Amino acid sequence: MTDCIFCRIVAGEVPADEVVSSELSFAFRDLSPQAPTHVLVIPRQHITHAGDVGPEHAAAVADLLVTATRVAEIDGLTERGYRLVFNVGEDAGNSVPHLHLHVLGGRQMGWPPWSG
Ligand code: AMP
């Protein structure tokens, strides 16, 4: 999709601070980080959001998790832990309509998540 900012990042048309990539996924640092590590892992294929995932996306979605583990290893988060987040829809604050997995770490995360 040419009007999708994350598709344009995957295509190399828009610059991004790449962390790691795979055949199916691309991981890059969030422009507005909410934690010392704030990385977005996206499928190279355009999928609108987590609520649109179907069985045909199984490999792409599994690869997001594998790539998120690579991000955690690269940023040294494996021992202390990290948070993985998918936002779906307006109430969750989903602002970019291309599936993305937030990888957040490097500080103590609030729990419950709605506490900040
Ligand atoms: P969400 O609110 O779950 O849709 O998250 C979208 C995220 O994308 C936000 O955290 C934005 O800061 C981030 N974002 C938007 N455009 C870019 C970009 N060009 N490069 C990196 N991060 C971006």
Side-chain angles (χ1 to χ4, degrees):
M1 283 181 56
T2 50
D3 59 345
C4 168
I5 180 79
F6 286 179
C7 283
R8 295 188 68 207
I9 285 175
V10 167
E13 295 167 8
V14 169
D17 186 1
E18 178 178 348
V19 178
V20 67
S21 72
S22 71
E23 191 187 333
L24 297 176
S25 306
F26 187 82
F28 56 102
R29 298 198 188 275
D30 198 292
L31 270 185
S32 176
Q34 303 302 310
T37 288
H38 188 173
V39 172
L40 303 174
V41 187
I42 66 174
R44 291 182 182 276
Q45 171 189 10
H46 185 85
I47 301 168
T48 307
H49 56 69
D52 268 347
V53 167
E56 69 276 22
H57 302 123
V61 172
D63 198 71
L64 293 182
L65 294 173
V66 172
T67 304
T69 301
R70 285 287 298 125
V71 169
E73 288 164 357
I74 289 165
D75 273 18
L77 304 177
T78 306
E79 195 177 323
R80 292 278 305 165
Y82 50 96
R83 179 166 290 165
L84 302 177
V85 175
F86 286 110
N87 289 322
V88 180
E90 216 177 306
D91 276 0
N94 188 192
S95 59
V96 179
H98 181 126
L99 180 63
H100 48 281
L101 176 59
H102 295 259
V103 182
L104 295 147
R107 67 165 169 82
Q108 182 69 53
M109 297 292 146
W111 189 263
W114 47 92
S115 72

